[in-house]
Amino acid sequence: MPNIEVNGTTLYYETHGSGVPIVFIHGHLSSHHMFEPQVEYFSKRANVIVLDLRGYGNSGKLNVEVEDIVKTQCKDLNELMDKLNIPKVTLVGCSSGSLLVQKFAASYPDRVNALVLVDSYFYGPSGPFGTKSGILKIAEACSWLSYYLPAEFFLRSLRATYHRWIPAYSILRNELFHKRPTESIKQRMALLKIDTDSNPTRLRMPILCVAGRQSEWFVTQMNKAVEWFSCAQKAVIEDAIYPSHLCQPLEFNRILLNFLIDQRIYRVEQQLV
């Protein structure tokens, strides 16, 4: 698939299948490859769009100020939809990608059928962990140096963590070898500045929150989201950690398809056996 010029940069994107449009937004330190099992499954049932956000994968440089990164990435997505002649979509965002889709939905509500927030977390003025001490802020800044370490440095711990979920390990391993350290640090700084909508009831489209049972913190964040959003429901995937859609792709795909059917975004008669 080609790179496309939007909003002063180039975005790498892929489209697969036809029908109801679903856009998958990857999280930090990853790319469109994060949704390979979903592309394979849903391309037989829908029009699947995956992309690399500005600053990731095969897309253009993160050449904007830190304060403008998330807003700019939302505008990138809006222009991509224009160029693909897609008026309205279901947005599936994983981890920090779920923050972006929330911001997109708040800025362009008429372009969103539904939101699916996978292993999501939510920022307030003090971030997801509350107000941080000076020592913690320094420790976090020092941790950014790890972005420049070679991928091989992380392979042993990654293999130990995901030894039960080989498909997830394979994709995450591949992502390690294609990171863009300087731009990843800029993106991380931008994410730390995000304050999710102070009035979450503005997001009135259907919302599905998903988390893996073995990631207790993500489950807590999911429960918080269901309290915040007036139209939200939740689903817990057993025997899964982040990213839960890669640890148990068959179960996640089933949950997402049923959600689309329940919301009448996807007609039952379209379903393939």
Side-chain angles (χ1 to χ4, degrees), residues 23-226:
V23 177
F24 292 87
I25 303 295
H26 63 81
H28 190 42
L29 300 177
S30 59
S31 71
H32 71 281
H33 290 292
M34 196 175 199
F35 294 103
E36 288 178 1
Q38 283 66 53
V39 169
E40 180 180 0
Y41 180 83
F42 283 100
S43 62
K44 301 172 184 176
R45 299 161 169 81
N47 178 18
V48 174
I49 301 100
V50 290
L51 66 144
D52 293 338
L53 297 173
R54 179 191 295 242
Y56 292 94
N58 297 317
S59 289
K61 293 182 178 180
L62 200 58
N63 54 353
V64 295
E65 296 297 322
V66 168
E67 292 76 10
D68 298 325
I69 286 175
V70 174
K71 178 175 67 177
T72 300
Q73 289 171 328
C74 287
K75 188 175 180 181
D76 293 345
L77 176 57
N78 188 56
E79 290 195 15
L80 176 64
M81 289 173 60
D82 285 341
K83 294 206 170 186
L84 297 180
N85 296 313
I86 299 174
K88 205 167 185 177
V89 298
T90 295
L91 286 173
V92 182
C94 178
S95 190
S96 63
S98 70
L99 299 180
L100 189 142
V101 303
Q102 290 176 65
K103 285 294 187 182
F104 183 91
S107 300
Y108 308 98
D110 294 338
R111 306 210 71 170
V112 180
N113 286 317
L115 295 179
V116 181
L117 311 179
V118 185
D119 300 320
S120 186
Y121 53 95
F122 303 90
Y123 280 103
S126 301
F129 308 105
T131 303
K132 294 182 180 179
S133 67
I135 294 176
L136 285 177
K137 289 180 180 178
I138 293 172
E140 181 167 27
C142 290
S143 73
W144 296 344
L145 296 175
S146 66
Y147 287 30
Y148 291 98
L149 292 173
E152 290 80 2
F153 184 86
F154 302 97
L155 290 183
R156 179 174 294 181
S157 60
L158 187 71
R159 190 181 304 113
T161 302
Y162 291 95
H163 69 281
R164 293 168 50 200
W165 304 287
I166 299 304
Y169 167 76
S170 298
I171 291 175
L172 295 175
R173 181 184 186 280
N174 181 65
E175 298 286 50
L176 275 178
F177 284 93
H178 296 89
K179 59 184 178 179
R180 294 162 60 170
T182 301
E183 290 173 299
S184 295
I185 290 173
K186 284 186 67 176
Q187 180 76 57
R188 178 63 178 166
M189 293 171 66
L191 292 170
L192 289 172
K193 291 178 179 292
I194 285 183
D195 181 4
T196 46
D197 200 325
S198 59
N199 183 16
T201 57
R202 286 177 54 195
L203 301 183
R204 297 189 177 278
M205 65 284 296
I207 299 174
L208 172 64
C209 302
V210 182
R213 175 72 72 187
Q214 292 180 249
S215 296
E216 293 183 6
W217 188 76
F218 281 120
V219 172
T220 299
Q221 292 291 304
M222 177 188 66
N223 290 333
K224 180 188 296 185
V226 173

